[in-house]
Amino acid sequence: MPESITITDNRTGKAVEIPITDGGVSSDAWRSLLPGLWFYDSGLTTTAMCESSITYLDGDEGILRYRGYPIEQLAEESTYLEVAYLLLKGELPNKEQYDAWSREVTHHTFIHENVRKRFLEGFHYDAHPMGMLVSAVAALSTFYLDAKDIYNAESREKQIVRLIAKMPTLAAAAHRFSVGMPFVYPDNELPFAANFLSMMWKVAEPRYEANPALTKAIDVLFILHADHEQNCSTTAMRTAGSAHADPYSSAAAACAALYGPRHGGANEAVVRMLTEIGSIDNVDAFIQGVKEGRGRLQGFGHRVYKNYDPRARIIKKVAYDVFEVTGKNPLLDIALKLEDAALKDDYFVSRKLYPNVDFYSGLIYQAMGFPVDMFPVLFAIPRISGWLAHWSELLDQDLKIVRPRQLYTGEGERKYVSIDQR
Ligand code: CMC
């Protein structure tokens, strides 16, 4: 006997039984029983907007899987480019497929000279690199007019490869401009993460040799950030994509959502918070302040995870690998004491507030020399593969345009009053 729920309209006595499928119930039956009565769900906390087979997340158990593969195994054994392939195509590539895919992505890393010279260099000298990235991704749609052909498989594949390949180039270009350094062209002999670090840090040496431990750390961070099912930026991508906007314009909408401090900016907030705390001696007083409602413990809590975020566990280990090379970030001791104190405190325990992905990632980025303004940009580089996987999936499913309803709470009809009579 399949599980179901029954909804009864107490005004009419009519009822409808709805089967529970894949952990949810369809709104079709609700709509047929209660036409014109809207299901109010601010923040879409209870609404599944789509069916998806990309990422599985169980927030109570702290489980995250891409296409069925546990995030821990992917972080340990895979590479970001392989994970991007997996997210987009549903299966891990064989050797031949992987080589072809890496070659394709590597050969699309260059950006049109006009994007750099006329567009990126036109920004104000102190422009925020994330603002530059949002605009540059949108501008790419004007360079690749074939991108509008979203139902042409060949064109779609080309735009996907271009976007994955060009994100590190745009990101590094935005950084170089914001610190007044000359642009570094991609070095296509280098693997993906090493190439990004070269574009970030190269000065006058013939080839930038990134430390292998740091390259590995960046690659793991890219894997961990590649997708996270229906988060705010992915929903923005899906919303713009559902209107059949081209992938560059849709990705710009997603980047804009990621720019927000509640989403892509939280690791920056963690670094600022730890700097403000200043010493392990001040941790207890800070925790007390949070409990009394004076601010939040940044990098703690999550809309979906009510357990330790599995990505945070992996990142904590990566942090130690990075500090072996860079020296310990002086904020680490404060972070460790803060985590320990919060995990023992009933306020945090009873609300199921655990460290999330952002608690340690900022410390790693800072130790590697990235300015805090670059943190959301570093998030966007790999998240593009997740956004594009969702965009492709929604087009394949031929989903409806996103168009929610509202509960109107404003004035009833009013007669216009001319300005001299108000
Ligand atoms: N510090 C102190 N109290 C908190 C925190 C926190 N970080 N997060 C939630 N709470 C409390 C909150 O005050 C509320 O308490 P009460 O029931 O007494 O009013 C309760 O926990 C539930 O909070 P909520 O705001 O209803 O939870 P939410 O699911 O809407 O918010 C969140 C999730 C991530 C916005 C929130 O936990 C938060 O602001 N965390 C700090 C910022 C942060 O680390 N953000 C990164 C999220 S992970 C990145 C990503 O995946 O995109």
Side-chain angles (χ1 to χ4, degrees), residues 356-392:
N356 60 47
V357 69
D358 291 315
F359 194 66
Y360 287 103
S361 62
L363 294 187
I364 300 178
Y365 293 143
Q366 197 182 43
M368 288 175 78
F370 291 100
V372 284
D373 280 358
M374 278 296 283
F375 292 3
V377 176
L378 289 162
F379 194 155
I381 294 172
R383 184 53 64 89
I384 191 76
S385 55
W387 291 335
L388 288 165
H390 285 271
W391 173 75
S392 248

Side-chain angles (χ1 to χ4, degrees), residues 228 231 261-264 266 290 295-303 306 309 311 347-348 351 353 356-358 379:
H228 210 228
N231 53 84
R262 279 167 145 190
H263 188 9
V290 169
R296 286 197 165 193
L297 180 47
Q298 298 300 330
F300 258 68
H302 198 277
R303 172 60 58 79
K306 300 302 167 199
D309 180 337
R311 301 168 301 171
Y347 175 94
F348 298 92
R351 289 171 177 76
L353 300 171
N356 60 47
V357 69
D358 291 315
F379 194 155

Side-chain angles (χ1 to χ4, degrees), residues 139-413:
L140 289 184
S141 77
T142 66
F143 286 82
Y144 304 112
L145 298 179
D146 55 332
K148 288 194 185 310
D149 205 358
I150 54 174
Y151 279 106
N152 175 325
E154 204 182 312
S155 164
R156 206 194 285 180
E157 173 82 8
K158 202 188 273 177
Q159 316 316 325
I160 286 173
V161 168
R162 280 178 175 150
L163 265 166
I164 291 175
K166 291 180 202 314
M167 286 297 274
T169 316
L170 292 174
H175 166 71
R176 304 284 293 202
F177 178 78
S178 69
V179 292
M181 293 283 284
F183 176 71
V184 175
Y185 286 93
D187 178 346
N188 288 347
E189 295 298 310
L190 295 174
F192 192 83
N195 196 2
F196 170 58
L197 293 179
S198 161
M199 291 187 281
M200 282 294 299
W201 310 127
K202 188 169 180 251
V203 185
E205 60 277 52
R207 166 159 291 158
Y208 179 80
E209 305 276 353
N211 182 298
L214 301 188
T215 312
K216 172 74 186 154
I218 283 288
D219 205 56
V220 171
L221 284 158
F222 282 177
I223 291 173
L224 300 181
H225 286 90
D227 194 42
H228 210 228
E229 52 119 292
Q230 310 307 320
N231 53 84
C232 181
S233 56
T234 302
T235 304
M237 179 91 189
R238 280 182 168 272
T239 302
S242 78
H244 290 180
D246 69 76
Y248 301 100
S249 307
S250 303
C255 278
L258 191 65
Y259 197 176
R262 279 167 145 190
H263 188 9
N267 49 9
E268 176 179 343
V270 172
V271 168
R272 293 196 199 285
M273 170 188 76
L274 295 174
T275 309
E276 209 173 287
I277 295 173
S279 150
I280 53 169
D281 299 335
N282 300 331
V283 164
D284 291 338
F286 181 81
I287 293 265
Q288 192 54 36
V290 169
K291 286 160 60 174
E292 285 166 10
R294 294 197 297 278
R296 286 197 165 193
L297 180 47
Q298 298 300 330
F300 258 68
H302 198 277
R303 172 60 58 79
V304 184
Y305 291 117
K306 300 302 167 199
N307 199 326
Y308 214 101
D309 180 337
R311 301 168 301 171
R313 240 186 262 282
I314 301 167
I315 287 184
K316 194 170 171 184
K317 185 179 165 301
V318 172
Y320 285 103
D321 298 342
V322 167
F323 298 156
E324 289 260 310
V325 178
T326 60
K328 194 171 78 176
N329 186 325
L331 298 178
L332 177 69
D333 289 336
I334 302 174
L336 289 170
K337 170 105 194 269
L338 205 52
E339 178 187 346
D340 187 56
L343 292 179
K344 285 184 186 142
D345 193 302
D346 188 55
Y347 175 94
F348 298 92
V349 174
S350 63
R351 289 171 177 76
K352 299 190 175 165
L353 300 171
Y354 292 88
N356 60 47
V357 69
D358 291 315
F359 194 66
Y360 287 103
S361 62
L363 294 187
I364 300 178
Y365 293 143
Q366 197 182 43
M368 288 175 78
F370 291 100
V372 284
D373 280 358
M374 278 296 283
F375 292 3
V377 176
L378 289 162
F379 194 155
I381 294 172
R383 184 53 64 89
I384 191 76
S385 55
W387 291 335
L388 288 165
H390 285 271
W391 173 75
S392 248
E393 184 178 68
L394 89 91
L395 293 179
D396 287 342
Q397 292 172 342
D398 200 15
L399 290 189
K400 282 183 195 301
I401 187 169
V402 174
R403 204 313 184 180
R405 306 303 301 231
Q406 63 165 12
L407 302 188
Y408 176 71
T409 57
E411 301 286 349
E413 185 178 347

